[in-house]
Amino acid sequence: MGEAVTDGQRWLRVPVGPEAPQWSTRVRAARVLFVVHNVTSATRLLDVLPLFDADPRVQCLATCTGSSPYLHGVPELLADAGLPVLPWEQAVETPVDLAVSASYGGELHLIRGKLAILSHGIGYNKRLPTPDTGHRTPDTGSRGRRGDAGRAPVFGLSPEWLLRDGVPVATATVLSHPEQLARLRHACPPAARTAVLAGDPCFDRLLAALPHRDSFRRALGVSAGQRLVVVNSTWGPRSLFGDADDVFPRLLESLTRELPVDSHRCCAVLHPNIWHGHGPGQVRAWLRRAEQAGLTVVPPLGPWRQVLAAADAVIGDHGSVTYYAAALGTPVLLGAFPEADLDPASPVAELGRTAPRLHPYEPLLPQLDELLARHRPDRYAQLTALASSSPGGSAALLRRTFYGLIGLAEPGTPAYLPRLLDPSYGGLPSDIPPASPLLAPLQVLTHLRDHRPAAHPEIAVTRHAEGVGAATYPPPAPSPEPTTAPASPPPAAPTASHASPHATSHTPAHPGAHTAVHEDVPDATRLALADLVLHDSRPEPAAWTQEAMRRHRHCAMAACVTAPDTCLVRIPDGRLVTLTAAPGADGHLDLCDPAVYASALYAWYERGKPVEELLDGLVVVTGGTGHHVQVTITPPR
């Protein structure tokens, strides 16, 4: 874009500015200005930006008020959006047909044009002090003017935020549900005249994503029978990630040490203000040990909505993401919930009165088990009803509102919001890998199960990061073997695509334990613990296994993951054993970590069992799910 420098600021010359008619190509396009405060509000604006797609009558622009303390990441986000970016000083001097904001921060009253303000979360719920400066900066939470009885006003629904000299700042105050309109009429009657009910575009995209839940889970590397547990935190000291009660460090320990890594997949979704307030490098450093033990950290612009749609349970707080999870019908456990920070009449406050609470100093796994066992799909039906006035209809309502304010006829094609794609689609920087290698040492418990004649051998494997969880929660003993064969096999685990029919019907024999360590473990001294040394995706896996056995003479086996469903293992006599999981009944690859199969082979070999007895096949059981594994043996070379 053409630029001119005035007073040290780069002002655009094209497609706006005094010279724009001379240099622009589409000079008569209506101007729509997207007003960004921080990355958080920008994500809501990016939700609605596609409503202007394929309309050459509209020129979209962007600006940043500079009012938020969380400005880190905004320039990169605007650059990725590819819109012309006006300095704020130029933006308030430039007439526009419509400005769209998702926050009340900054001097929005200076904008020269109609202004529509959306919420950037699940409506308006939080009490937030209004700064006593001339710049409205709701993100600071600094001490300033307070509302009734000394309490902070409700952000987005009180005169302190909505009015300037008694006049509404917004031409259209876009609300997602009538309950917000009722609170607005009570708190700020002048602004209620500007209210427009238009649903929630973020919730609509989540609803549209639910039929693709299984595809999202596969893209995230969640295997059959695994639980996907999402930990979510909003920003601020009283959030789950905050240090007011400091629950989060304890929760990280519980997630990564108590939960077996092959039956649970854990993801962290943190508010962008955490990332951009403390710095992405610092946040990564705080979470690094948990990442090495299996936690997947979703980047601030990553596919958090796909992760939420794929989740089996969410541990969260009073933020919008946790509310969206409950509104989707997902079991929710509240790890933090500061009622005093919320409007008691708000939907999020109702979440706090409805959802169970995490007990951070009690074992986590039994709490998750109870949460899932007691959950009813309609438990949060009231919260779902409060999420949107028009589920699935926000695109049409918002486009009608925007074009009405501009004074243009709507395009003839239906309005829609782009579908959420699989998390790994396109290999974008904001995507997350399906599964990162486990770099924490793994304590592995194995059980060889008695099996009927002609049935494949079964080995149950339970792995815990750092070995703490294994000692705390040993695998439950299955029911004793019946003395007579049942008339029909017992049912498989309900979430398994190809669970073993014998997974719960045999007495375990030969319990054993070993330690498996990835060769890239950050603390190299931990390799001395390894009975089984691991790696993944080496260019010459057979050569690596041989070298690894020489480097780590104390270990009995070396295993390299060579494909999403395959592991190559060198056993003590020098032979190579290839372990490949059969596809599931749905035809998809088995997404269980193939290193599990190496641990099963280790358990078999350690008991003195001939590897040749596995040539007809092996069943490896993790978390109640059976994985049918093909075994081939290559003589030593």
Side-chain angles (χ1 to χ4, degrees):
M1 272 68 75
E3 297 175 329
V5 179
T6 305
D7 298 330
Q9 298 291 320
R10 290 190 176 275
W11 285 40
L12 295 190
R13 299 169 63 190
V14 178
V16 296
E19 302 171 83
Q22 178 181 354
W23 300 109
S24 297
T25 300
R26 299 195 63 84
V27 296
R28 293 186 295 176
R31 296 170 178 173
V32 176
L33 178 68
F34 285 85
V35 183
V36 173
H37 298 81
N38 50 35
V39 170
T40 307
S41 66
T43 56
R44 179 53 58 94
L45 297 180
L46 293 176
D47 274 341
V48 302
L49 177 61
L51 294 177
F52 296 102
D53 280 358
D55 191 345
R57 301 172 300 163
V58 175
Q59 168 70 62
C60 292
L61 309 163
T63 189
C64 179
T65 63
S67 61
S68 172
Y70 302 105
L71 293 179
H72 181 273
V74 171
E76 294 81 2
L77 182 147
L78 292 177
D80 288 343
L83 299 179
V85 180
L86 283 67
W88 177 246
E89 291 77 9
Q90 183 182 12
V92 297
E93 294 293 331
T94 301
V96 296
D97 297 279
L98 174 65
V100 184
S101 173
S103 180
Y104 285 89
E107 298 178 290
L108 299 178
H109 63 283
L110 298 178
I111 290 174
R112 297 175 61 184
K114 295 176 181 177
L115 173 65
I117 298 183
L118 320 175
S119 70
H120 58 258
I122 187 78
Y124 297 103
N125 306 281
K126 294 181 180 180
R127 293 186 176 274
L128 212 57
T130 311
D132 54 6
T133 66
H135 298 275
R136 296 167 185 256
T137 52
D139 310 278
T140 62
S142 59
R143 300 182 63 84
R145 295 194 301 275
R146 290 181 174 267
D148 54 284
R151 301 186 72 182
V154 177
F155 171 63
L157 292 182
S158 60
E160 292 90 337
W161 298 111
L162 298 170
L163 305 181
R164 174 81 180 188
D165 298 328
V167 177
V169 174
T171 312
T173 302
V174 181
L175 306 176
S176 58
H177 195 277
E179 70 82 18
Q180 295 165 25
L181 179 57
R183 287 190 288 142
L184 179 61
R185 285 172 173 159
H186 174 75
C188 187
R193 296 192 296 269
T194 70
V196 177
L197 285 172
D200 185 325
C202 181
F203 188 58
D204 280 0
R205 296 185 78 191
L206 281 165
L207 290 175
L210 289 180
H212 303 277
R213 167 184 165 86
D214 289 343
S215 180
F216 295 161
R217 288 172 70 87
R218 285 193 300 272
L220 292 165
V222 180
S223 64
Q226 270 191 317
R227 294 173 175 172
L228 176 58
V229 179
V230 176
V231 179
N232 164 247
S233 177
T234 189
W235 64 282
R238 289 180 291 278
S239 68
L240 180 57
F241 196 83
D243 56 8
D245 296 314
D246 229 11
V247 169
F248 200 80
R250 166 71 181 177
L251 178 59
L252 282 184
E253 289 286 311
S254 299
L255 285 169
T256 56
R257 294 193 172 196
E258 288 186 35
L259 306 187
V261 297
D262 300 302
S263 58
H264 293 78
R265 179 79 188 280
C266 300
C267 288
V269 174
L270 305 180
H271 195 285
N273 286 359
I274 297 174
W275 287 96
H276 297 295
H278 294 281
Q282 178 61 78
V283 174
R284 285 281 184 189
W286 283 334
L287 299 176
R288 188 158 292 133
R289 282 180 61 88
E291 279 193 280
Q292 292 163 4
L295 179 72
T296 295
V297 181
V298 181
L301 290 178
W304 65 267
R305 281 171 285 213
Q306 292 92 320
V307 171
L308 201 64
D312 293 300
V314 172
I315 303 174
D317 55 18
H318 60 302
S320 292
V321 173
T322 303
Y323 187 99
Y324 280 133
L328 292 176
T330 305
V332 166
L333 202 57
L334 296 177
F337 205 86
E339 290 92 345
D341 291 358
L342 299 169
D343 180 354
S346 69
V348 172
E350 181 61 26
L351 170 66
R353 293 188 286 266
T354 307
R357 303 299 175 97
L358 173 74
H359 301 287
Y361 298 103
E362 296 180 12
L364 176 62
L365 185 55
Q367 295 184 68
L368 280 176
D369 289 341
E370 182 178 10
L371 176 73
L372 292 168
R374 293 192 174 188
H375 183 71
R376 303 185 315 274
D378 62 347
R379 174 167 189 159
Y380 301 118
Q382 180 183 2
L383 302 181
T384 304
L386 292 172
S388 173
S389 59
S390 302
S394 66
L397 293 169
L398 286 169
R399 194 177 74 172
R400 185 184 310 159
T401 298
F402 293 157
Y403 275 83
L405 291 170
I406 296 170
L408 281 178
E410 286 189 71
T413 55
Y416 71 93
L417 300 170
R419 183 175 80 78
L420 297 171
L421 301 177
D422 287 353
S424 56
Y425 182 83
L428 300 175
S430 61
D431 288 331
I432 58 179
S436 300
L438 290 163
L439 297 182
L442 300 171
Q443 180 70 29
V444 186
L445 294 183
T446 58
H447 294 268
L448 271 63
R449 290 178 167 172
D450 296 331
H451 60 280
R452 297 186 181 97
H456 293 150
E458 286 189 5
I459 302 176
V461 180
T462 304
R463 303 189 300 171
H464 288 268
E466 300 289 347
V468 174
T472 309
Y473 299 111
S479 305
E481 174 74 24
T483 55
T484 59
S488 59
T495 55
S497 60
H498 47 286
S500 165
H502 312 301
T504 60
S505 62
H506 296 282
T507 304
H510 314 296
H514 64 269
T515 301
V517 184
H518 197 286
E519 195 178 38
D520 289 346
V521 60
D523 181 0
T525 63
R526 308 303 294 275
L527 281 165
L529 303 173
D531 301 299
L532 170 64
V533 64
L534 304 172
H535 218 301
D536 57 285
S537 303
R538 299 294 296 182
E540 297 180 281
W544 173 84
T545 60
Q546 192 170 19
E547 293 164 3
M549 295 288 279
R550 286 200 300 264
R551 279 194 295 268
H552 312 291
R553 296 187 179 278
H554 56 280
C555 75
M557 292 184 183
C560 185
V561 174
T562 58
D565 58 350
T566 303
C567 189
L568 182 68
V569 186
R570 190 172 294 274
I571 61 178
D573 62 15
R575 288 183 292 173
L576 289 170
V577 180
T578 302
L579 305 169
T580 302
D586 56 6
H588 287 289
L589 290 177
D590 189 323
L591 294 178
C592 178
D593 180 4
V596 171
Y597 312 144
S599 281
L601 180 65
Y602 180 96
W604 184 263
Y605 197 89
E606 185 186 37
R607 271 64 160 200
K609 300 280 190 177
V611 179
E612 291 77 8
E613 292 185 9
L614 301 177
L615 288 175
D616 289 335
L618 167 69
V619 176
V620 179
V621 181
T622 62
T625 299
H627 309 275
H628 296 266
V629 178
Q630 301 166 355
V631 180
T632 59
I633 303 172
T634 304
R637 288 184 289 178

